[in-house]
Amino acid sequence: QVQLVESGGASVESGGSLRLSCAASGHPATYFCMAWFRQAPGKEREGVARVDSDGKISVADSLKGRFSISKANNTLYLQMTSLTPEDTAMYYCAAGGVCPAPIEYYKGQRRHFFQHWGQGTQVTVSS
């Protein structure tokens, strides 16, 4: 069983940066595809970025250039820059099996491909 614990969420002003962390335990995280999702109030959960077990990365097209994902040992990171109020959401870490598709593929029911989820960390961006 995999346990995922996110941290790093905060309230920041527009234009600011944050780095989120997700500590994985209970199973070697290197065997898993790991991803970040986010969910704003009243909106569906959407994929932000993912990194597979080979280190291949996919970042949502709408976030490229501002968001980046990385993994070191058993910790997943999400670096976010030039934040805007539209980035306000609960950010979730997730882990699953092989994930060859772009992160945008894992929407709706497909996000259940990721069997393990953290509790989320809140990011609030004020204008």
Side-chain angles (χ1 to χ4, degrees):
Q1 188 71 6
V2 174
Q3 293 84 42
L4 304 172
V5 179
E6 304 97 333
S7 61
S11 295
V12 298
E13 292 187 351
S14 186
S17 299
L18 279 176
R19 188 176 81 156
L20 306 183
S21 300
C22 171
S25 61
H27 193 286
T30 52
Y31 297 160
F32 284 86
C33 175
M34 297 188 74
W36 288 99
F37 286 77
R38 68 183 184 181
Q39 188 166 17
K43 294 189 177 181
E44 288 195 8
R45 194 170 297 190
E46 64 175 352
V48 173
R50 66 106 178 105
V51 54
D52 69 14
S53 57
D54 293 326
K56 295 185 180 66
I57 287 171
S58 169
V59 177
D61 283 344
S62 62
L63 300 174
K64 285 178 180 175
R66 297 195 301 121
F67 286 26
S68 61
I69 189 172
S70 60
K71 188 170 69 173
N73 297 319
N74 285 349
T75 302
L76 183 71
Y77 300 98
L78 182 69
Q79 180 68 49
M80 306 184 292
T81 63
S82 301
L83 288 163
T84 73
E86 288 67 40
D87 297 313
T88 294
M90 185 71 78
Y91 284 72
Y92 296 91
C93 175
V98 177
C99 58
I103 186 62
E104 290 97 333
Y105 174 85
Y106 301 101
K107 62 182 178 182
Q109 292 298 312
R110 293 196 196 112
R111 72 172 184 268
H112 296 298
F113 164 85
F114 293 90
Q115 302 100 321
H116 310 286
W117 291 83
Q119 294 300 305
T121 187
Q122 178 68 40
V123 172
T124 302
V125 185
S126 59
S127 57

